[in-house]
Amino acid sequence: MYQNKYIYLMMLPGILFFIVFKFGPLWGLLLSFQNYSPFAGFWGSEWVGFKHFAEMFQSAQFYTMLRNTVLINLFNLIFYFPLPIVLSLMLNEVRHEFYKRIHQSIVYMPHFLSWVVVASVTFFVLSTDIGFVNKLLYTMGIKPIPFLSQPQFFWALLTAQNIWKDAGWGTIIFLAAIAGVDPARYEAAVIDGASRWRQIWHITLPAIRPTIIILFILRFGSMADVGFEQVLLMMNPLVNSVADVFDTYAYNQGILRGQTSVGVAVGMFKGIVGLCLVLSANYTVKKLGYEGIY
């Protein structure tokens, strides 16, 4: 450690970040085993064991929340996850550096918008009364479609928002992986007469496969987690049946109703499920012959 002291010194900010913001707050998970009261404090609150977990599993909302959470994430996994890969391959094929940077800047920009802005844009685009899509349909003699209040559109709407906002930002890691491919491999492929498509299929994709696998494992591990702010802003009483997820349940119980222990129990349940999913996905990937995350 003394010989590499400067390396450890550079690591120190990251280590402190994890200690203060990740490991330090873990003691708060104990609140899920209490009927926590801010007035009684941590040591004065009643210990109730697994009561909150049992009530959550027995709740009529549990299976609805589980279904909504899984399906929303499944939509993202199927339709959103591959798009940054495809987009990064397309950007990599742009040969003019100036236009390439312009295109990269354009696709990165939505990432820096808050979900409040994205929800507002969605409202102005798809609402029944002022949305320009429905105004266009009206001019064509088609009855306006209530996109924001019909449950069958909700999951697709969330997926479309994720694609528009973060698909461009997700290309950064894949573009970095593509930049690390040895140019000599492409030169050899050109000499052998390989087309651009063949070069992508036989050189680029195999080279970035480890990155794709690692990001897939991490993405699969977040299947119990849904963007809380996005769902909260887009949900309304007409779509609650397909919008209620574990995050909104924790918010309603823990913040609005003051049942802090219930909210912590939901968070702990999500964490355990996420850990199990990461371990199972990593195990499956390694069994298939690929390198996992550990």
Side-chain angles (χ1 to χ4, degrees), residues 59 67 74 88 124 131 158 161 190 202 212 214 246 265 270:
S59 170
R67 180 202 64 185
L74 196 60
S88 62
F124 284 113
L158 294 185
Q161 287 180 329
V190 171
H202 293 289
I212 296 174
I214 291 174
F246 291 112
K270 286 172 48 186

Side-chain angles (χ1 to χ4, degrees), residues 133-155:
V133 171
N134 276 313
K135 285 185 177 181
L136 180 62
L137 293 176
Y138 181 77
T139 59
M140 297 170 60
I142 302 175
K143 185 179 179 181
I145 302 173
F147 293 103
L148 303 179
S149 58
Q150 290 294 324
Q152 63 265 31
F153 296 126
F154 188 77
W155 296 336

Side-chain angles (χ1 to χ4, degrees), residues 59-76:
S59 170
Q61 296 176 265
F62 178 76
Y63 293 103
T64 300
M65 294 187 297
L66 181 63
R67 180 202 64 185
N68 295 342
T69 301
V70 171
L71 288 178
I72 289 173
N73 279 298
L74 196 60
F75 269 62
N76 284 321

Side-chain angles (χ1 to χ4, degrees), residues 27 164 267:
W27 72 270
W164 181 77

Side-chain angles (χ1 to χ4, degrees), residues 2-3 6 28 57 74 76 82 85 89-90 120 126 133 147 164 181 196 199 217 219 226 255 286 293:
Y2 180 77
Q3 292 178 349
Y6 295 112
F57 293 141
L74 196 60
N76 284 321
I85 304 172
L89 293 173
M90 294 171 65
S120 300
L126 298 178
V133 171
F147 293 103
W164 181 77
V181 181
R196 293 301 305 173
Q199 293 176 44
I217 293 173
R219 184 76 184 183
V226 178
I255 303 299
K286 294 180 75 172
I293 58 177

Side-chain angles (χ1 to χ4, degrees), residues 6-260:
Y6 295 112
I7 296 178
Y8 285 103
L9 185 62
M10 288 191 296
M11 294 171 58
L12 186 60
I15 294 173
L16 290 176
F17 171 81
F18 274 91
I19 292 175
V20 174
F21 295 103
K22 300 296 182 181
F23 297 115
L26 285 177
W27 72 270
L29 294 176
L30 293 174
L31 297 180
S32 61
F33 303 103
Q34 292 183 323
N35 268 332
Y36 177 73
S37 170
F39 304 100
F42 177 79
W43 301 109
S45 299
E46 177 188 5
W47 292 88
V48 295
F50 292 94
K51 174 186 175 183
H52 300 304
F53 294 95
E55 291 179 350
M56 180 178 64
F57 293 141
Q58 295 170 2
S59 170
Q61 296 176 265
F62 178 76
Y63 293 103
T64 300
M65 294 187 297
L66 181 63
R67 180 202 64 185
N68 295 342
T69 301
V70 171
L71 288 178
I72 289 173
N73 279 298
L74 196 60
F75 269 62
N76 284 321
L77 192 64
I78 295 173
F79 297 104
Y80 166 75
F81 182 78
L83 282 181
I85 304 172
V86 176
L87 189 57
S88 62
L89 293 173
M90 294 171 65
L91 288 172
N92 188 60
E93 293 302 307
V94 179
R95 292 297 170 225
H96 198 291
E97 283 299 320
F98 175 76
Y99 291 111
K100 183 176 182 179
R101 291 173 183 174
I102 291 295
H103 293 151
Q104 284 179 298
S105 300
I106 291 173
V107 297
Y108 292 167
M109 284 174 61
H111 172 77
F112 299 99
L113 299 176
S114 70
W115 280 114
V116 175
V117 175
V118 175
S120 300
V121 171
T122 305
F123 177 79
F124 284 113
V125 171
L126 298 178
S127 65
T128 306
D129 48 357
I130 64 173
F132 77 81
V133 171
N134 276 313
K135 285 185 177 181
L136 180 62
L137 293 176
Y138 181 77
T139 59
M140 297 170 60
I142 302 175
K143 185 179 179 181
I145 302 173
F147 293 103
L148 303 179
S149 58
Q150 290 294 324
Q152 63 265 31
F153 296 126
F154 188 77
W155 296 336
L157 190 59
L158 294 185
T159 306
Q161 287 180 329
N162 283 324
I163 291 172
W164 181 77
K165 187 175 187 295
D166 288 328
W169 185 255
T171 62
I172 292 177
I173 296 177
F174 296 110
L175 284 172
I178 292 173
V181 181
D182 187 0
R185 301 176 66 180
Y186 292 108
E187 295 172 2
V190 171
I191 294 173
D192 290 337
S195 63
R196 293 301 305 173
W197 170 250
R198 288 292 183 182
Q199 293 176 44
I200 293 172
W201 186 257
H202 293 289
I203 299 176
T204 308
L205 283 176
I208 66 174
R209 186 181 298 153
T211 303
I212 296 174
I213 291 173
I214 291 174
L215 292 179
F216 174 80
I217 293 173
L218 296 176
R219 184 76 184 183
F220 192 77
S222 63
M223 288 290 286
D225 192 19
V226 178
F228 162 73
E229 187 178 357
Q230 179 191 15
V231 176
L232 184 67
L233 291 168
M234 294 304 301
M235 69 187 303
N236 58 71
L238 296 176
V239 297
N240 277 349
S241 60
V242 295
D244 201 15
V245 294
F246 291 112
D247 298 275
T248 56
Y249 179 78
Y251 171 74
N252 291 328
Q253 299 294 326
I255 303 299
L256 298 184
R257 299 187 181 181
Q259 298 179 352
T260 307

